[in-house]
Amino acid sequence: MRILWLLNICPPAAAEALGMDYSVREGWITGALNRYLCAEEEPEEASAHHTKAEKRKNAPADKLEIGLCFPFDGSAGNAPVEGVSGEADGTPGTFSCVRRLYPMTDQEKGEGRRTALYGFREDLKRPELYDGGLEKYFAGILADFKPDLVHIFGTEFPHALAMVRAFGKPERTLVSIQGLVGECAESYMADLPDYVQRSVTLRDFLRKDSLRQQQEKFRIRGSREKEVLSSCSHVAGRTRFDREGALSCNPKLKYHKLNETMRACFYEGSWSRQKCRSFEIFASQGDYPLKGFHYLLAAMQEILQEFPQAHISVAGISITGYGTLKEKLKISGYGKYLRDLMKVNDLEGKVSVLGNLTDRQMKEAYLNSHVFVCPSALENSPNSLGEAMLLGVPCVASRIGGIPDMAEGEKSALFFEKGNVHELAACILRIFRDDALAESLSAQARIRARENHDGDANYRRLLEIYHEILE
């Protein structure tokens, strides 16, 4: 069984084999990949005697070959590479290679699976642009690897549509839903005042990246997403929200339930009320409107009235800097609005931007916080919420999209209606006032998250889906 994975990032195991730097984003890809790399293969003669039902039941032991196809900058460090490298099918500016990968736990022993790696170039900073040349390049990869099935992780980038077109076998194409870009496009502005939506800073003008232009880019991506879902027969998701959204694009889709596995470090350690920073609020992202950071800033006025020690930490790059000429020239319309909110609500010294964090640094930020907040205007199943719940951090989240499928309101998280800053403030205040509630939410969140994000169960289910499609 040969499966080609089309990914949004170069996973850490592949990057390490190639001597490259890597991102720790998309931890659910890493979780599934590491289980594949560490799994023992069953001898072919033994597998041949299994019935179809037995193969499904014993899927983790079946013979499986996964190839990885991912965005690549063209530099493979100093690592020696076996197999093919350079241009493919006359397409310039691309790279492909084959190299041995090792299980993370047995790397020093030199034991592991031989895995095909294929890199391609794409401007991930401008995902609204479509490069038709990728179709020809992917055709070369498909001819080289000869997959029985192509598994596309996400619909957010143009390469998903290029692969669907190049492969041309909808009955052998599986798409894993991350978020629904088309739905996100309609919720993108997240109740911003009209004057903010219309605002254009110098940075926005020069980059052609005002808020309304950003929303239009999401809509373009959403139209491609619809074509992707209309051109395949199988989709994997995990919430009622993504199921309904996918089937609205293509009612003929076969929907497969598949939960995600989080990054390994979040399965270790546990939040403690005694060790966290009292009245510390943590948000994982706040650099564009859909993530709803402005809701949290607006809610701080009520929170500070009762708890003047309250403080917000947010991961990611700072978009509100205004201290230097360079920062003033680079500020976006949304960044300027956030600055205005902080000024109006007297939040100077109450908000810290932590920058881009590694998985270990994110874990530390979760454990240091008194409460984790997901204030987004729309989400399917945010990894940040899953990570926080695994660690047992008391969570507050918008009751939108697929979030209600991740946690039970009043038991494993507190919910507020999207955009209702008074409800948001009230939820945070309840946790600040009541340590018993915080500890109860913590315990129940860990139980629920370990059910949702059981890596072994999710990997077995993934292989069952492959068998269901290919038998």
Side-chain angles (χ1 to χ4, degrees):
M1 183 165 59
R2 296 168 66 85
I3 314 294
L4 181 64
W5 285 9
L6 180 66
L7 308 174
N8 295 339
I9 63 164
C10 176
E16 288 179 356
L18 295 171
M20 296 166 44
D21 294 332
Y22 57 85
S23 167
V24 294
R25 294 185 302 108
E26 318 294 15
W28 44 275
I29 291 175
T30 299
L33 177 59
N34 287 345
R35 278 168 172 77
Y36 162 71
L37 294 174
C38 295
E40 294 183 3
E41 295 185 19
E42 182 179 36
E44 287 189 36
E45 59 271 19
S47 179
H49 296 292
H50 287 323
T51 65
K52 289 181 179 180
E54 288 172 334
K55 285 183 177 181
R56 282 187 186 177
K57 182 178 179 180
N58 301 313
D62 281 353
K63 188 171 182 62
L64 171 69
E65 185 175 354
I66 289 177
L68 307 178
C69 185
F70 47 81
F72 190 64
D73 67 5
S75 170
N78 298 318
V81 176
E82 303 175 23
V84 215
S85 65
E87 298 180 358
D89 199 25
T91 305
T94 54
F95 179 89
S96 65
C97 62
V98 179
R99 180 175 170 79
R100 192 174 184 82
L101 293 182
Y102 305 109
M104 304 294 286
T105 54
D106 296 326
Q107 198 162 0
E108 293 182 0
K109 298 180 183 178
E111 299 173 356
R113 296 174 182 263
R114 183 179 179 84
T115 303
L117 308 181
Y118 300 97
F120 62 90
R121 287 189 176 176
E122 183 176 61
D123 188 351
L124 297 178
K125 294 182 178 179
R126 302 189 66 187
E128 72 279 4
L129 301 180
Y130 186 80
D131 179 6
L134 273 179
E135 296 176 35
K136 186 177 182 181
Y137 182 54
F138 285 163
I141 291 174
L142 292 164
D144 182 69
F145 187 69
K146 299 179 178 61
D148 298 307
L149 182 150
V150 170
H151 187 171
I152 300 171
F153 289 78
T155 58
E156 290 87 338
F157 293 95
H159 58 247
L161 180 56
M163 181 60 81
V164 164
R165 289 175 173 175
F167 191 43
K169 298 178 180 178
E171 73 283 359
R172 296 292 180 93
T173 303
L174 171 67
V175 175
S176 279
I177 295 291
Q178 293 182 25
L180 290 168
V181 184
E183 298 281 354
C184 290
E186 300 313 308
S187 298
Y188 188 80
M189 291 301 183
D191 304 312
L192 290 179
D194 187 64
Y195 79 90
V196 178
Q197 296 184 33
R198 290 185 284 104
S199 67
V200 181
T201 63
L202 178 62
R203 172 260 181 208
D204 296 342
F205 175 77
L206 293 176
R207 296 190 182 185
K208 299 180 180 179
D209 194 42
S210 68
L211 284 167
R212 287 190 169 174
Q213 287 170 317
Q214 290 170 19
Q215 185 177 41
E216 182 57 27
K217 292 171 186 176
F218 264 71
R219 286 179 173 141
I220 292 169
R221 294 162 67 187
S223 66
R224 295 204 186 104
E225 171 184 72
K226 188 171 184 178
E227 184 175 346
V228 169
L229 295 174
S230 297
S231 302
C232 68
S233 298
H234 299 274
V235 65
R238 53 211 170 273
T239 67
R240 285 167 289 183
F241 170 73
D242 67 32
R243 184 180 187 277
E244 292 170 3
L247 292 177
S248 70
C249 293
N250 180 3
K252 296 181 180 179
L253 278 170
K254 170 67 174 178
Y255 183 88
H256 304 269
K257 178 70 180 293
L258 177 63
N259 284 326
E260 291 183 340
T261 301
M262 299 293 103
R263 294 176 285 185
C265 70
F266 295 101
Y267 291 85
E268 302 171 354
S270 178
W271 178 84
S272 166
R273 176 65 189 93
Q274 290 70 39
K275 294 180 181 179
C276 75
R277 295 174 183 168
S278 294
F279 317 121
E280 178 75 13
I281 302 166
F282 179 56
S284 64
Q285 194 173 355
D287 55 350
Y288 62 102
L290 189 69
K291 294 301 178 180
F293 191 57
H294 51 286
Y295 297 139
L296 180 55
L297 293 180
M300 277 295 280
Q301 188 175 41
E302 292 182 41
I303 295 168
L304 290 170
Q305 288 176 3
E306 185 170 347
F307 294 96
Q309 318 96 305
H311 179 270
I312 297 173
S313 290
V314 58
I317 59 173
S318 174
I319 64 168
T320 59
Y322 210 66
T324 66
L325 177 61
K326 184 177 180 180
E327 287 177 331
K328 290 176 181 177
L329 294 175
K330 289 178 64 176
I331 197 164
S332 66
Y334 185 56
K336 187 175 182 301
Y337 178 60
L338 294 181
R339 279 190 60 81
D340 292 342
L341 278 178
M342 286 190 278
K343 185 176 180 179
V344 167
N345 292 311
D346 196 22
L347 299 182
E348 184 177 356
K350 294 295 184 181
V351 179
S352 297
V353 181
L354 304 180
N356 293 323
L357 304 179
T358 67
D359 52 352
R360 295 287 175 179
Q361 291 169 331
M362 282 289 288
K363 178 178 177 179
E364 182 180 359
Y366 285 121
L367 294 177
N368 282 339
S369 65
H370 196 154
V371 60
F372 169 73
V373 176
C374 179
S376 299
L378 187 64
E379 293 278 3
N380 181 25
S381 60
N383 285 351
S384 57
L385 180 59
E387 291 169 349
M389 291 176 64
L390 279 171
L391 294 170
V393 184
C395 295
V396 172
S398 305
R399 189 187 286 105
I400 43 88
I403 286 179
D405 288 335
M406 297 183 69
E408 184 178 351
E410 296 294 319
K411 187 173 181 180
S412 47
L414 298 183
F415 292 150
F416 66 97
E417 294 303 319
K418 186 270 295 184
N420 189 324
V421 298
H422 302 295
E423 283 191 9
L424 169 55
C427 288
I428 295 172
L429 288 170
R430 285 179 62 192
I431 292 172
F432 283 177
R433 292 172 186 144
D434 189 345
D435 285 350
L437 172 63
E439 290 171 355
S440 175
L441 290 170
S442 173
Q444 291 301 319
R446 283 171 57 81
I447 293 171
R448 181 65 177 264
R450 274 159 175 69
E451 294 173 356
N452 289 343
H453 308 298
D454 183 324
D456 292 331
N458 295 343
Y459 182 64
R460 287 194 298 270
R461 177 57 186 147
L462 174 65
L463 298 188
E464 287 174 359
I465 291 170
Y466 290 161
H467 279 281
E468 290 169 7
I469 295 172
L470 292 175
E471 69 179 25

